[in-house]
């Protein structure tokens, strides 16, 4: 099984008054093709900064981000733009991630216009297909974000991320802004899409139940460092680091029946009614 994304000794620092703040401190990890890699830790632990370094949305201070064999830090703007079309990101706040003045169809069309030559009926057919894949009908195409629920907006965000047929999706707290029942539907959708399309996910979340449900491997971050990593089930049943054990003990939703395992997680049965 090949590695889709490899991060080697990533460091990201920021100037802070007369000091330097290290947000990511010498982090290395590899994500295998077709798997879900969970990244957990408290707010401010460096998870989202690391993800942005992985996509080169933020240049790391040092270290390498290697995607599909390409060292992203060595690519020029044009080559990097091409490679980025193979990576997608789903953000935490689904409503804020959409332009409030742009229709749903226009939002989904943006990456298609930027990275493909689709026009006219072919473009609209692709938009309709993407909306269908995430459980929304063609009738949503002309609606504005404020006319949709939070769960529906997140489905639009997922459709946008899938528009260029990416190999890797970065899921940055994809369900934290949603109600628990809607979280379950979105998680089922993400799992179904991952299995159907052979996608690879980097899942960032502070919700341990979400990470345990979806992930094959997990890394635990604390103050910019990975303190423990390994198979998801081992991390959750036999944590080795004190910080991991404290996270598990303190998690307010730990053991939540709605998300605890695949036997109790509701299956996705609605067409975008969340």
């Amino acid at each position: 099984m090949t590695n889709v994304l490899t991060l080697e000794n990533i460091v990201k620092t920021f100037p802070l008054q007369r000091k330097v703040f290290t947000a990511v401190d010498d982090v290395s990890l590899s994500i295998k093709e077709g798997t879900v890699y969970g990244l957990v830790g408290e707010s401010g632990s460096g998870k989202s900064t690391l993800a942005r370094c992985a996509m080169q949305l933020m240049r790391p201070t040092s270290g390498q981000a290697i995607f599909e064999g390409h060292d992203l830090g060595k690519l020029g703007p044009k080559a990097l733009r091409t490679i980025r079309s193979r990576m997608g990101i789903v953000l935490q706040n689904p409503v804020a991630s959409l332009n409030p003045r742009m229709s749903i169809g226009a939002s989904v069309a943006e990456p298609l216009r930027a990275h493909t030559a689709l026009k006219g009926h072919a473009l609209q057919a692709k938009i309709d297909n993407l909306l269908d894949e995430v459980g929304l009908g063609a009738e949503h195409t002309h609606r504005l974000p404020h006319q949709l629920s939070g769960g529906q907006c997140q489905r639009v965000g997922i459709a946008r991320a899938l528009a260029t047929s990416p190999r890797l999706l970065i899921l940055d707290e994809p369900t934290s802004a949603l109600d628990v029942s809607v979280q379950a539907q979105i998680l089922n959708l993400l799992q179904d899409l991952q299995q159907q399309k052979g996608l690879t996910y980097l899942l960032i979340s502070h919700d341990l139940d979400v990470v345990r449900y979806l992930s094959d491997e997990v890394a635990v971050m604390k103050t910019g460092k990975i303190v423990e990593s390994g198979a998801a089930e081992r991390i959750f049943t036999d944590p080795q680091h004190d910080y991991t054990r404290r996270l598990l003990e303190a998690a307010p939703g730990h053991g939540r029946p709605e998300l605890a395992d695949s036997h109790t997680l509701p299956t996705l049965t609605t067409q975008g009614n969340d």
Side-chain angles (χ1 to χ4, degrees):
M1 193 178 292
T2 60
N3 291 330
V4 172
L5 177 68
T6 299
L7 304 180
E8 297 181 352
N9 307 112
I10 296 291
V11 174
K12 181 60 183 178
T13 62
F14 297 94
L16 185 63
Q17 297 179 343
R18 296 182 181 179
K19 299 181 180 180
V20 173
F21 170 66
T22 303
V24 178
D25 190 358
D26 196 26
V27 169
S28 297
L29 59 85
S30 294
I31 305 177
K32 295 180 177 63
E33 181 180 15
T35 65
V36 181
Y37 194 102
L39 198 58
V40 301
E42 296 171 306
S43 295
S45 61
K47 305 184 302 295
S48 294
T49 300
L50 181 64
R52 280 155 178 72
C53 287
M55 291 189 74
Q56 300 291 294
L57 297 174
M58 182 182 289
R59 292 279 184 172
T61 305
S62 62
Q64 292 178 296
I66 301 169
F67 176 70
E68 294 186 322
H70 300 277
D71 185 342
L72 301 184
K74 294 181 178 179
L75 299 179
K78 185 176 180 180
L80 183 59
R81 181 171 174 270
T82 300
I83 290 292
R84 276 216 196 103
S85 70
R86 302 281 289 150
M87 309 168 79
I89 187 166
V90 178
L91 299 172
Q92 177 176 1
N93 190 326
V95 179
S97 68
L98 300 174
N99 186 329
R101 299 180 181 180
M102 189 177 288
S103 72
I104 298 310
S107 290
V108 175
E110 273 194 314
L112 293 169
R113 293 184 190 279
H115 295 286
T116 76
L118 292 176
K119 295 180 181 179
H121 293 301
L123 177 63
Q124 188 59 54
K126 180 65 174 178
I127 293 168
D128 292 346
N129 182 65
L130 286 164
L131 291 177
D132 182 66
E133 285 185 334
V134 299
L136 295 173
E139 68 274 11
H140 293 88
T141 301
H142 302 293
R143 295 181 187 177
L144 294 172
H146 76 269
Q147 297 175 303
L148 273 61
S149 68
Q152 288 173 327
C153 285
Q154 192 60 296
R155 292 173 189 267
V156 176
I158 295 168
R160 277 172 54 93
L162 292 173
T164 57
S165 301
R167 193 176 181 194
L168 171 72
L169 280 190
I170 294 177
L171 310 174
D172 193 354
E173 301 279 7
T175 61
S176 64
L178 306 175
D179 293 338
V180 171
S181 60
V182 179
Q183 286 183 21
Q185 294 183 12
I186 296 299
L187 289 174
N188 273 301
L189 172 63
L190 288 168
Q191 188 177 59
D192 288 345
L193 289 168
Q194 193 251 344
Q195 292 172 352
Q196 292 165 12
K197 296 176 177 290
L199 293 166
T200 303
Y201 289 162
L202 172 57
L203 170 64
I204 300 165
S205 182
H206 64 272
D207 190 320
L208 299 181
D209 286 321
V210 167
V211 172
R212 185 174 188 178
Y213 176 70
L214 280 182
S215 300
D216 300 294
E217 292 187 68
V218 172
V220 182
M221 285 192 75
K222 179 179 185 291
T223 58
K225 290 181 176 289
I226 289 180
V227 297
E228 184 170 2
S229 63
E233 195 58 25
R234 200 278 299 164
I235 294 289
F236 283 97
T237 59
D238 186 26
Q240 300 298 302
H241 197 279
D242 286 343
Y243 178 71
T244 308
R245 287 193 285 267
R246 290 199 301 271
L247 278 181
L248 289 169
E249 291 166 1
H254 192 48
R256 204 164 69 215
E258 298 92 337
L259 299 176
D261 56 57
S262 58
H263 299 295
T264 57
L265 188 67
T267 55
L268 178 63
T269 56
T270 59
Q271 282 286 315
N273 292 325
D274 39 50

